[in-house]
Amino acid sequence: MKRKTLAALLVTAALAGACEAREIFVNNVAGADNLDGLSDRASGRAGPVRTISRALCLALPGDHVLLTDTGVPYREQVSIAGPRLHGSERRPLVLDGRGAVLDGTVEAAPGAWRPAVGNVFALALRRLSTQQLFSAGEPLKRVSLTRSADAPLALEPLEWSLVDRRLLVKLEQDRLPESYDLRHAGLETGVTLYNTHHVIVRNLVVQGFHLDGLNAHELVRDCLVDNIDSRANGRSGLSVGGVSRVEAIASNFYDNGRVQVRVEGQAELALESCEVAASEGAAKFKTAGGELKVNGQAVVAP
């Protein structure tokens, strides 16, 4: 398949094959993983499953996994890998978020936030180099500091930094961490693609994972990322490696920790009509081998 026509072919195939494909429904509020997933409403043993992971366990090649946007984030990692989870040129496997949020953040243990200096609190974490901090589901602004002592003056309320092997956040006057819905990056990767082909991942917000929002790790071909917001992940919004071939269309990559989009090895990635925004300390692109094209133009960003 020629990559320049990949998006059009896969989207057309998904629409044409929708009447043939099974639909597996996921609802993280009303669903249950002991249901069959074949209906969006529960009745007996029929009804939506609760987790994306369970839906993928039930999926066959060319199926459509449909998430319900309940307003509650799906807090899990998703892996599309192996001989069963794939599609074909005529019937791609589809993971359709339908506007839902896939979130990799976790809460700190009770008492883990400790007073540091002034109105700044500190959290000691094992995974410090690729972190993000959220409040009420929204990423907070990160500021680069070299000393903890600078935090009271350098940080505004609800800004944070990684310094002296701790995550520091400045709070509003006379407030404690427990009065906020603070969550930090905990799960590793939002959507991992490995040894698969003819897959569409679309209509999904992916945030708060300590490595990548989406990672086409290896042996991925003819896969499409469509209408994805991948933001505020610890390393990157999208990473493509090995000998994988991926196209992303109409997607947004921003506020990720080290780089927004990365390509390595002998991978090939084409971005079409995507918004990629650099942030503090994180460039738009990084290429360590492989081939990156943005709207048809080759990009090299070592």
Side-chain angles (χ1 to χ4, degrees), residues 216-219 240-245 264-268 290:
H217 180 63
E218 174 64 288
L219 299 174
V240 182
V243 293
S244 298
R245 301 198 306 272
E264 61 183 0
Q266 301 177 55
E268 299 178 13

Side-chain angles (χ1 to χ4, degrees), residues 21-22 58-64 83-88 91-94:
R22 290 193 315 164
L58 297 173
L60 298 173
D63 281 350
H64 290 197
R84 180 176 50 82
L85 289 178
H86 63 81
S88 65
R91 282 182 54 187
L93 176 72
V94 177

Side-chain angles (χ1 to χ4, degrees), residues 232-249:
N233 298 287
R235 184 171 70 170
S236 77
L238 172 62
S239 178
V240 182
V243 293
S244 298
R245 301 198 306 272
V246 175
E247 184 168 336
I249 61 172

Side-chain angles (χ1 to χ4, degrees), residues 220-255:
V220 176
R221 61 181 174 86
D222 298 329
C223 289
L224 176 67
V225 173
D226 178 12
N227 191 32
I228 297 293
D229 267 24
S230 187
R231 66 172 191 168
N233 298 287
R235 184 171 70 170
S236 77
L238 172 62
S239 178
V240 182
V243 293
S244 298
R245 301 198 306 272
V246 175
E247 184 168 336
I249 61 172
S251 295
N252 304 308
F253 306 97
Y254 57 98
D255 287 344

Side-chain angles (χ1 to χ4, degrees), residues 61-136:
D63 281 350
H64 290 197
V65 175
L66 307 179
L67 277 57
T68 299
D69 180 7
T70 63
V72 177
Y74 288 78
R75 301 191 187 279
E76 57 180 300
Q77 300 180 103
V78 175
S79 178
I80 301 175
R84 180 176 50 82
L85 289 178
H86 63 81
S88 65
E89 186 171 329
R90 189 173 65 87
R91 282 182 54 187
L93 176 72
V94 177
L95 173 61
D96 192 338
R98 301 197 293 181
V101 175
L102 182 64
D103 188 294
T105 62
V106 297
E107 292 180 324
W113 286 102
R114 300 295 181 87
V117 55
N119 212 39
V120 176
F121 287 76
L123 179 65
L125 295 170
R126 288 183 300 169
R127 295 168 171 171
L128 272 179
S129 61
T130 51
Q131 264 303 329
Q132 294 285 351
L133 186 63
F134 285 68
S135 177

